[in-house]
Amino acid sequence: MNTFSASDSPSNLTEFSVSELSGSIKRTVETAFDHVRVRGEISGYRGPHSSGHAYFSLKDDRARIDAVIWKGSFSRIKFRPEEGMEVIATGKITTFPGSSKYQIVIEAMEPAGAGALMALLEERKRRLGAEGLFDPARKRPLPFLPQVIGVVTSPTGAVIRDILHRISDRFPVHVIVWPVKVQGEGSGQEVANAIRGFNAIEENGAGGLSRRPDVLIVARGGGSLEDLWSFNDEAVVRAAAESRIPLISAVGHETDWTLIDYAADIRAPTPTGAAEMAVPVKADLQAQLAGLDARLRGSASRQMDNRRQSLRALMRALPSLDQLLALPRRRFDEAAAGLGRGLERTAIAKRRSFERAGLGLRLDILTNRIATHRRQLAENVLRSDNMLERRLLMEHNRIQRASASLTALPARLNGQLHREGQRVATLSQRASSAVTHAMARRHSAIAAQNRVLQSLSYKNVLKRGYAVIRGEDDAPLTRAAGISAGQAISVEFADGRIGAVAGEAGPADIASPTPRKRASQKSAATEAPPTPPKQGSLF
């Protein structure tokens, strides 16, 4: 193998290895673009990687650049990046020597103005509204007096203290707080998980947990659009719409609106207002109950007095007890007096009836009756046997006759089918002959009518030397007065038509010849053209 030294190189340029050249390019790019702000649209965003880093691209209408957000920087971003969102990213440009690519390492990122966020918010509101998540028919009424209230908010802010204080002042109930982040990356998912977590609790509180809340409050203090962006998260809106527990949205101040406000069952202007909506005032309820109790007692007392007076009036109208029982008591005394005599008469009548029945129960009478019944039974059995034998004989004869009939049935059917076939053949021959004669008669009648039609046709007249003169509209012209000089006409002969132009009229005796003379003129016209000076010919 031949070897060459540096002096043998065709040029004096310094040689670099691929790694050296890539490293030099990387240092140059990072030095020149160590801090840049790039405005573009997020593309290819699929959320954070399992490592916590986020990889996507920024693009505009003419170019595209890869981007990466490391895990530490991603946690400091105040909003959740989404596909198609226009943002302003701050970071540095670096290269990746392994594939000769450059990318931007983003250290901070913000939406490209409030207009972009509002456009994204309106588009998301329209899309979720089209799915029916904001339908008023989905909203549920709040319970009048909940026993347990669930609160989803930050555990360290002033919001939870205001809610607890307001509930304690109005109507103290059991409050369960689900602590979540209300701002920053992952806060929207935490709020959605908290709502679903409250709904996953069993109603009776089985499993060692508290019973499921009767109403939920999702609360946060006021802030900018970016601060409240977590409550515009699609996961939060869907969790609020799917909640089986009535939900009160209390995010921001009265002028702050987020998408959870549309999906919640009711929106409170402030967290304190949400607490007031959740529970009534206990003192007002007690005063109301006291008033209702007093009214109930007074009404019951007046009702008892009215009923008592009515009862007394009815008692005065009723007869006394002695008057009511006088007639029944008399009937009872009369019945009691006649009871002894009736029992004696009944006993005597029963005794006589028993004696009469006993006279007919002698042994010889019973023996005769038994013998008589035995004879009757034997006679009935003998008659039944005779009748059964006769019936069996009749059925046997009937079966034999039916069997003989069935044996001769095929022969009869074959003979009948043969006769019917001969009859059908005869009828077919007769029908064919009748149709042939009818068709011959029809042909003769049609031929006769055709001969009459041909004899009456005007074309037969044309064959005798006549002609038909027609105008421009192909209508026959029957008078000379209807033809003007220079008019285009057609003359139809027996063998065809010719075109002609009408001339001027001749003398009256020539214009109106006799029929025989007119026929001779038409014949002459077909043989030779007329001379204009002598006769006003139409040709």
Side-chain angles (χ1 to χ4, degrees):
M1 182 177 65
N2 296 328
T3 58
F4 297 91
S5 61
S7 60
D8 297 330
S9 176
S11 66
N12 294 325
L13 295 176
T14 304
E15 293 181 356
F16 294 95
S17 66
V18 175
S19 300
E20 290 173 348
L21 182 60
S22 297
S24 178
I25 294 174
K26 178 179 177 68
R27 288 189 298 273
T28 302
V29 171
E30 291 180 351
T31 302
F33 303 99
D34 61 339
H35 189 76
V36 295
R37 284 172 61 86
V38 180
R39 184 189 187 107
E41 179 182 330
I42 295 177
S43 175
Y45 181 77
R46 298 295 182 268
H49 194 263
S50 59
S51 61
H53 312 315
Y55 301 93
F56 55 94
S57 300
L58 294 177
K59 68 175 184 178
D60 57 13
D61 57 344
R62 291 178 295 178
R64 179 189 188 100
I65 183 172
D66 293 337
V68 60
I69 306 178
W70 304 126
K71 180 179 180 180
S73 302
F74 193 83
S75 61
R76 294 193 298 270
I77 296 178
K78 297 182 179 181
F79 69 98
R80 182 179 179 181
E82 292 188 6
E83 180 75 16
M85 180 185 293
E86 187 176 5
V87 296
I88 299 175
T90 304
K92 65 179 180 179
I93 304 298
T94 184
T95 63
F96 185 65
S99 59
S100 298
K101 292 183 178 179
Y102 66 92
Q103 63 184 1
I104 179 172
V105 179
I106 298 176
E107 299 173 355
M109 189 168 61
E110 60 186 7
L117 283 181
M118 291 304 297
L120 179 62
L121 181 63
E122 290 298 326
E123 191 279 332
R124 186 177 298 172
K125 177 182 176 182
R126 179 194 59 76
R127 178 167 51 84
L128 296 178
E131 296 181 17
L133 300 184
F134 305 151
D135 190 359
R138 297 169 57 99
K139 302 183 183 300
R140 294 168 296 277
L142 300 179
F144 174 70
L145 191 61
Q147 299 181 11
V148 180
I149 298 177
V151 180
V152 179
T153 188
S154 173
T156 59
V159 172
I160 185 61
R161 291 195 297 272
D162 292 342
I163 293 176
L164 294 177
H165 178 71
R166 197 60 178 165
I167 291 176
S168 177
D169 287 345
R170 292 173 65 86
F171 201 111
V173 295
H174 183 57
V175 178
I176 303 176
V177 180
W178 195 300
V180 295
K181 291 193 304 183
V182 294
Q183 184 175 340
E185 177 62 26
S187 57
Q189 191 62 42
E190 288 190 14
V191 173
N193 293 338
I195 296 174
R196 293 191 174 98
F198 273 127
N199 281 270
I201 299 175
E202 298 183 6
E203 294 186 7
N204 55 3
L209 300 175
S210 301
R211 67 185 301 270
R212 190 168 69 183
D214 300 313
V215 66
L216 293 182
I217 299 176
V218 179
R220 189 204 186 281
S224 63
L225 179 61
E226 292 80 2
D227 296 336
L228 303 179
W229 191 255
S230 299
F231 296 91
N232 293 318
D233 195 291
E234 184 174 344
V236 175
V237 177
R238 292 188 182 278
E242 295 169 0
S243 176
R244 300 189 304 273
I245 305 173
L247 189 143
I248 304 175
S249 171
V251 178
H253 300 298
E254 186 171 0
T255 57
D256 298 327
W257 279 84
T258 57
L259 294 184
I260 193 176
D261 296 330
Y262 298 98
D265 295 300
I266 191 171
R267 175 187 180 267
T270 60
T272 304
E276 294 176 354
M277 292 179 180
V279 293
V281 180
K282 186 176 181 180
D284 294 345
L285 292 179
Q286 290 176 343
Q288 186 178 1
L289 288 176
L292 293 175
D293 181 67
R295 293 175 59 186
L296 179 62
R297 291 178 182 275
S299 176
S301 177
R302 290 191 297 273
Q303 188 71 13
M304 291 297 294
D305 292 340
N306 294 334
R307 295 294 179 86
R308 190 178 294 109
Q309 293 177 2
S310 300
L311 183 60
R312 289 174 180 172
L314 292 174
M315 290 175 62
R316 288 193 295 270
L318 290 175
S320 63
L321 184 60
D322 293 338
Q323 294 176 351
L324 291 175
L325 298 179
L327 184 59
R329 186 181 292 117
R330 179 176 178 180
R331 288 198 296 267
F332 180 76
D333 293 341
E334 292 176 353
L339 181 61
R341 295 191 299 272
L343 288 176
E344 291 179 359
R345 288 195 297 269
T346 302
I348 295 172
K350 294 295 182 181
R351 186 181 295 110
R352 292 176 180 174
S353 177
F354 180 73
E355 291 176 353
R356 286 194 300 270
L359 293 177
L361 294 178
R362 296 196 306 273
L363 182 60
D364 54 349
I365 296 176
L366 293 177
T367 303
N368 293 334
R369 287 185 179 179
I370 292 173
T372 303
H373 285 297
R374 284 179 177 175
R375 288 194 300 271
Q376 292 176 355
L377 181 60
E379 294 174 356
N380 291 335
V381 170
L382 182 60
R383 283 198 301 271
S384 299
D385 292 340
N386 295 333
M387 291 177 63
L388 181 60
E389 290 178 357
R390 289 195 299 273
R391 186 63 180 269
L392 289 175
L393 182 60
M394 292 172 61
E395 292 295 330
H396 180 69
N397 296 333
R398 188 173 66 82
I399 291 172
Q400 287 183 346
R401 290 193 299 273
S403 176
S405 300
L406 291 175
T407 302
L409 181 61
R412 291 200 303 273
L413 290 177
N414 290 332
Q416 186 175 358
L417 288 174
H418 181 67
R419 291 192 298 275
E420 291 296 330
Q422 292 178 349
R423 181 170 175 270
V424 169
T426 303
L427 292 176
S428 176
Q429 293 176 357
R430 294 173 61 188
S432 177
S433 176
V435 169
T436 302
H437 294 326
M439 291 295 294
R441 289 196 300 274
R442 295 290 189 277
H443 281 300
S444 301
I446 291 173
Q449 292 177 0
N450 185 40
R451 289 193 296 271
V452 174
L453 179 63
Q454 292 297 330
S455 64
L456 296 178
S457 176
Y458 77 98
K459 291 187 177 182
N460 291 331
V461 179
L462 296 181
K463 292 179 181 179
R464 298 197 299 270
Y466 290 91
V468 178
I469 300 175
R470 299 181 183 271
E472 294 180 353
D473 57 353
D474 204 35
L477 300 176
T478 59
R479 296 183 179 276
I483 302 174
S484 59
Q487 180 179 350
I489 60 176
S490 63
V491 181
E492 181 180 0
F493 297 97
D495 58 348
R497 291 189 183 186
I498 62 172
V501 178
E504 295 185 4
D509 57 346
I510 298 176
S512 301
T514 61
R516 184 178 297 277
K517 188 175 182 179
R518 187 183 300 115
S520 63
Q521 289 176 356
K522 287 184 180 180
S523 177
T526 60
E527 295 177 356
T531 56
K534 296 180 181 181
Q535 181 178 349
S537 175
L538 299 179
F539 303 104

